[in-house]
Amino acid sequence: MATFMIKVAGEGLVAKAHKLADPGPTTGSSIIYEVVDVPDGLSVDDVIARFKGFSAPKDRYEISFRELPVPA
């Protein structure tokens, strides 16, 4: 299982965050989420595709991969 850091910008852009970034709000309007339990063989791009369809919580910054929807 892998873990990826995902950044969601205030305007909704979802991108890879630096692997050493701390989860939570940034000094700007972005939020860093730590996506855990990502199955082996999936890339950060796979996680980003699923995260784009996810209504991320504003008070919890660790997300299990199982919570993310399957992209259409």
Side-chain angles (χ1 to χ4, degrees), residues 7-31:
K7 178 170 68 172
V8 179
E11 67 276 359
L13 177 70
V14 180
K16 177 182 176 184
H18 191 277
K19 66 182 177 181
L20 297 178
D22 290 325
T26 66
T27 55
S29 62
S30 298
I31 299 176

Side-chain angles (χ1 to χ4, degrees), residues 23-25 31-33 54-63 67:
I31 299 176
I32 306 291
Y33 291 95
F54 181 62
S55 181
K58 301 293 183 204
D59 61 345
R60 184 171 53 96
Y61 310 112
E62 182 177 303
I63 307 296
E67 295 178 62

